[in-house]
Amino acid sequence: MWRNARGAEDSTRSTTGHIDYAFTGEGYTRLLDRLENPSIDGAGLEPALQDDGEIYVAGVGKAGLDISSKNEPWRRCYHTCLMGAARAAEHLEGWVTDTTRFINFPANVVIGPSNPRPRPVPYQSAEAPLEENCVVAFGTPQSYYTKLLTTQGFTTRQRLDAALAYADWLSYKGLPESAEEMYDWGLDIAAGALPVEAHNVVDIKTGIINANANYISPNIIDATTSLAIHHARNKNFAAAFPIFLSVLRATRQLPSPPPQSPRDPFETGPPKDSGPLANIKSLFFEPPFPPAPPTGDEHLLRTPLAVCDEAGIMAHIGEIVFASALPTTNPASTRSMTTNKTSSQQNMNAGINWTRDAVETAESTFLGPAKRDREALKKCAQCINVGIRNWEKMVARMIKDAAPQQERPNQPEMGIDPSPTDTPARDNGGAGWNWGPIGWLWASFTHDKPGDGMLSGTGDAGADADAHDRWQREAKLVQERRAELRHMLRIEGLSDEDRAGTGVNPGDGWGLLFR
């Protein structure tokens, strides 16, 4: 049951390429029923709040349990089942089950009074169900996330994963305020487990990491980065920008890992636990359970994976700097973010420089230290792709701005300008917030000569033509870098799943603002 549920979440094993969340959800809920049953695997479990009977949260469901008495493999499996059930609940929200045939359907195809105009079912699918025969197919995501967050006995990493997943779900549902509260909760979880005073490491209110922090954990980096991404996606650049900068500074100041002992040159052949004899042995003896993963409270070191994360942060900063320089339809935002056309073009050039440096950092790590770490290799490939994709869109915008007036399209090329309803004007004592001259932040990253960023409207027609040609050449360079990425993936022998995760196709990836 456990292997079936876990394997069904792997889309590469499906003949259709899609995940059957109804199947995985049923498997995880059956596992949870077994794990929580006192007569089977749930002996010794107690309510987390130490009250008589089960505790219910109004409008959400049953609260968590105290699983401290269980061993680590049991707790890890319990957390995995709850997270899997929550993922299934997210995808099955709004679905119903036909009790006469035990088939799941989306609610918009149900025939009944509450749905007077049902949508037709797909070709060769089962007939649409009647409303009187339908029940809710699955529990709500809130019920599983609440149980995860109120259960006692999980590690800091497990609790943080639950908080960030719940925050992502709330953000997806269009509840940015609730999502921000959950991101703040995740930061509290990460900071509360530090072996030093939390205020010496991070500002809980803003999420900015202290410049003099001498103990940085992976959980702190993940929690602050997630909070900054949330601010950026909601166009709150003033809150996201300093968090990203503090994370970048913290990752660059991390201590290097201790040197590894050199491998014995006479040690050859496969590992001891592989080969035909090991396969035969596994038929008669149960293999040891995988070791426990890190809790995330350890001191973070500057490993190849951390360098890949640094490249990702640089790509995010480039997005924010470039997007903040774009003219918006909000007059107050336009006055505060772009004081004049010259500074706007300088900031757009700075955003491209940040993005270009992010690609170069990720590529150097991909071709060097990351080769010894498969996870770092995948992460670097993702960072390279995101940087190239953003770089490509930024250059396309610069080409559009540098084109002669008669050649410019009337419609905008990138839909990232916030509307007045999306981005209300910030009120700071009667004035909108303003970053002022922020060119010093990227002075050391600038590759262009002074004046390169002065595009149309700041010079004569000849200067505009030169700028247009320059960005056309850079666009070709970006295409060459994308082709190099595909070549590097083939050389490293990444699987189809790994390549899909890197988002090699345009439009994939995990960028903040460019969609």
Side-chain angles (χ1 to χ4, degrees):
M1 188 185 306
W2 163 266
R3 293 184 178 90
N4 289 339
R6 295 281 290 174
E9 284 195 290
D10 185 358
S11 59
T12 60
R13 298 186 181 183
S14 173
T15 56
T16 62
H18 300 286
I19 299 175
D20 186 357
Y21 284 101
F23 177 81
T24 62
E26 181 183 1
Y28 284 126
T29 52
R30 291 174 62 186
L31 286 169
L32 289 173
D33 292 339
R34 178 185 178 90
L35 292 172
E36 295 177 352
N37 191 333
S39 59
I40 306 179
D41 292 328
L45 297 180
E46 297 178 357
L49 300 181
Q50 297 297 327
D51 290 340
D52 295 335
E54 295 177 335
I55 306 300
Y56 285 84
V57 180
V60 176
K62 186 167 61 174
L65 302 170
D66 186 354
I67 62 173
S68 303
S69 60
K70 293 295 185 179
N71 55 36
E72 192 280 330
W74 190 99
R75 297 195 301 268
R76 200 192 320 173
C77 292
Y78 186 63
H79 179 269
T80 303
C81 290
L82 283 174
M83 291 292 288
R87 287 191 298 270
E90 292 179 2
H91 290 84
L92 295 177
E93 188 179 40
W95 284 60
V96 297
T97 300
D98 185 353
T99 56
T100 62
R101 294 174 291 174
F102 297 100
I103 302 177
N104 296 309
F105 294 91
N108 56 10
V109 304
V110 176
I111 301 174
S114 64
N115 189 27
R117 300 183 63 184
R119 295 187 61 181
V121 296
Y123 177 67
Q124 291 186 342
S125 298
E127 295 182 0
L130 300 178
E131 184 174 349
E132 59 268 21
N133 298 330
C134 294
V135 296
V136 177
F138 209 70
T140 62
Q142 292 88 339
S143 61
Y144 293 104
Y145 286 125
T146 299
K147 183 176 287 188
L148 280 160
L149 294 171
T150 56
T151 294
Q152 296 183 8
F154 288 141
T155 65
T156 309
R157 179 77 256 179
Q158 291 170 336
R159 296 172 58 208
L160 179 61
D161 287 343
L164 297 183
Y166 191 18
D168 290 342
W169 168 249
L170 293 172
S171 179
Y172 168 76
K173 297 297 292 183
L175 302 171
E177 293 82 6
S178 300
E180 184 172 345
E181 293 178 359
M182 191 54 56
Y183 284 117
D184 291 337
W185 191 353
L187 182 57
D188 289 337
I189 292 173
L194 291 172
V196 298
E197 294 292 335
H199 66 271
N200 293 330
V201 178
V202 62
D203 187 341
I204 300 298
K205 294 183 179 179
T206 62
I208 299 176
I209 299 177
N210 193 328
N212 299 319
N214 56 7
Y215 192 98
I216 302 296
S217 69
N219 289 337
I220 289 293
I221 295 295
D222 291 343
T224 52
T225 302
S226 298
L227 180 61
I229 290 175
H230 169 74
H231 287 316
R233 284 177 173 165
N234 287 276
K235 307 298 189 295
N236 189 3
F237 300 144
F241 196 70
I243 299 177
F244 278 130
L245 287 178
S246 69
V247 173
L248 181 62
R249 178 183 58 219
T251 55
R252 289 179 173 176
Q253 295 175 352
L254 292 174
S256 301
Q260 297 180 353
S261 58
R263 183 179 177 182
D264 186 356
F266 298 100
E267 182 181 351
T268 58
K272 296 180 180 179
D273 295 334
S274 64
L277 293 179
N279 294 334
I280 296 174
K281 182 180 177 180
S282 64
L283 298 176
F284 301 96
F285 300 96
E286 183 178 355
F289 202 79
T295 63
D297 300 327
E298 305 82 12
H299 199 322
L300 186 61
L301 301 177
R302 190 169 174 78
T303 61
L305 187 60
V307 178
C308 292
D309 290 334
E310 176 186 321
I313 297 299
M314 293 170 64
H316 291 330
I317 294 175
E319 287 185 82
I320 292 178
V321 173
F322 189 91
S324 67
L326 293 176
T328 66
T329 56
N330 188 334
S333 179
T334 302
R335 288 193 301 268
S336 61
M337 297 299 298
T338 54
T339 55
N340 55 67
K341 195 176 186 70
T342 299
S343 63
S344 173
Q345 297 294 348
Q346 289 175 340
N347 291 353
M348 293 168 76
N349 273 278
I352 295 177
N353 292 335
W354 274 99
T355 305
R356 188 189 296 114
D357 286 333
V359 173
E360 293 176 356
T361 301
E363 282 185 347
S364 62
T365 308
F366 184 91
L367 298 174
K371 289 182 177 293
R372 298 188 296 268
D373 188 339
R374 191 69 174 180
E375 291 301 320
L377 202 66
K378 297 179 186 178
K379 188 64 175 289
C380 285
Q382 294 176 359
C383 294
I384 296 171
N385 171 72
V386 172
I388 291 177
R389 183 168 60 87
N390 291 350
W391 189 5
E392 187 177 38
K393 290 181 178 292
M394 292 175 184
V395 171
R397 177 58 186 252
M398 300 301 282
I399 292 175
K400 170 178 173 289
D401 289 349
Q405 188 68 31
Q406 62 271 19
E407 297 181 7
R408 297 180 186 176
N410 294 326
Q411 67 276 10
E413 199 166 300
M414 294 187 299
I416 62 177
D417 293 351
S419 63
T421 56
D422 292 337
T423 308
R426 273 72 169 173
D427 187 6
N428 184 12
W433 50 267
N434 190 345
W435 291 351
I438 54 178
W440 60 272
L441 291 171
W442 51 78
S444 61
F445 296 89
T446 303
H447 300 287
D448 304 320
K449 298 179 181 179
D452 280 351
M454 313 311 170
L455 302 185
S456 58
T458 61
D460 55 17
D464 289 349
D466 292 341
H468 186 267
D469 292 341
R470 172 207 166 190
W471 292 117
Q472 290 281 11
R473 292 192 299 269
E474 184 147 353
K476 294 180 180 179
L477 175 63
V478 176
Q479 294 299 324
E480 293 175 359
R481 300 293 277 270
R482 184 178 290 280
E484 291 177 2
L485 173 60
R486 295 191 179 96
H487 181 64
M488 288 188 296
L489 291 176
R490 288 193 296 267
I491 291 178
E492 295 300 331
L494 294 177
S495 64
D496 292 339
E497 180 183 1
D498 297 332
R499 296 182 185 182
T502 61
V504 172
N505 296 325
D508 297 338
W510 37 266
L512 294 178
L513 308 174
F514 298 102
R515 298 298 183 187

